[in-house]
Amino acid sequence: MTDPIVLESDTDPAPAAPFTPAEERAMRQALDQAQNAWLVGEVPVGAVILRDDADGLPQVIATGYNRPITTTDPTAHAELVALRHAAQLLDNYRLPDCTLVVTLEPCAMCAMALMHARFKRIVFGARDPKTGAAGSVVDLFALPQLNHHTIVAGGCMEAECGAMLREFFAERRAAHKARQAARRAPAEDDAIPVADVTVDDPIPIGVAVEIDPDPPVPPDARGAPA
């Protein structure tokens, strides 16, 4: 009798999914928040904060979207807008039981704020090759010198998050090119203005004035003394 064939899949457990269903639902909500940012002319980034209830079920406790331009606040990134709402709701500046779900990799400012708030987990969608502070440019979450370490998972619905950002910037570039083209085009008002009148129309005031000619002087009066 031969030994049974043991498949690798029979011995090794299936790898755990990187994102929970609750986190994926939250990412869809974060995309809705990002759409709100787009509608007001902001870069479309949205964030959602989750916290388990008494039964251990994740609940949304705060949302936010990018609004630094509309609020004239350079710190009003989606993560910080949501963080402020959550801290006020829970009446605590520390949020160790919370997970933040955001459509774009946090920048250095947001990363440090989230670690100061003691978030237990960060989930982000698209990676940011210019300012990403969770591995793309620098990984602040991995610094061993810091006294708090947050779990970070990137790439949740990355295609959808990235597509929204690309479409937004493509639209913005197209609008910019249209404005530039409009500035370079010759204006219709550059032509010499011509009064809109015909021969039989009365001459409008301001265009010309009719002056009666002086009466002719009689020949005899030209040399007569005054």
Side-chain angles (χ1 to χ4, degrees):
M1 180 178 179
T2 59
D3 295 332
I5 298 174
V6 179
L7 300 177
E8 184 178 354
S9 59
D10 295 334
T11 58
D12 296 337
F19 311 109
T20 67
E23 290 170 348
E24 292 180 350
R25 287 194 299 271
M27 185 60 79
R28 293 187 180 91
Q29 292 176 286
L31 283 168
D32 290 339
Q33 291 293 312
Q35 187 67 42
N36 291 336
W38 188 336
L39 292 175
V40 296
E42 301 274 7
V43 176
V45 179
V48 171
I49 294 178
L50 301 174
R51 182 171 183 261
D52 291 349
D53 61 13
D55 297 326
L57 299 176
Q59 301 294 327
V60 174
I61 63 168
T63 62
Y65 59 85
N66 245 16
R67 53 179 70 178
I69 299 173
T70 52
T71 61
T72 61
D73 179 2
T75 70
H77 288 192
E79 301 95 311
L80 299 191
V81 172
L83 186 155
R84 289 169 182 147
H85 290 332
Q88 292 172 359
L89 177 67
L90 300 177
D91 195 24
N92 198 336
Y93 74 108
R94 294 282 173 82
L95 305 172
D97 299 327
C98 294
T99 295
L100 179 119
V101 179
V102 62
T103 58
L104 182 65
E105 181 180 357
C107 67
M109 174 183 70
C110 294
M112 291 306 301
L114 295 169
M115 283 189 281
H116 278 300
R118 301 294 193 267
F119 272 77
K120 68 176 182 179
R121 182 171 166 86
I122 308 296
V123 174
F124 68 86
R127 304 179 191 279
D128 188 348
K130 294 185 177 180
T131 63
S136 292
V137 176
V138 65
D139 194 352
L140 295 179
F141 296 99
L143 291 178
Q145 297 90 341
L146 299 179
N147 62 344
H148 176 76
H149 295 93
T150 299
I151 298 173
V152 180
C156 180
M157 298 182 65
E158 184 171 7
E160 293 87 339
C161 296
M164 178 175 289
L165 287 162
R166 286 191 296 273
E167 291 170 9
F168 171 80
F169 285 111
E171 180 183 277
R172 175 170 286 189
R173 284 191 295 270
H176 176 71
K177 290 180 180 178
R179 289 193 299 269
Q180 293 292 94
R183 292 192 187 101
R184 290 192 296 267
E188 295 181 359
D189 296 337
D190 290 346
I192 299 175
V194 177
D196 186 16
V197 296
T198 63
V199 175
D200 298 330
D201 290 334
I203 299 176
I205 297 175
V207 176
V209 178
E210 292 183 343
I211 301 176
D212 293 333
D214 293 332
V217 179
D220 296 340
R222 293 175 186 172

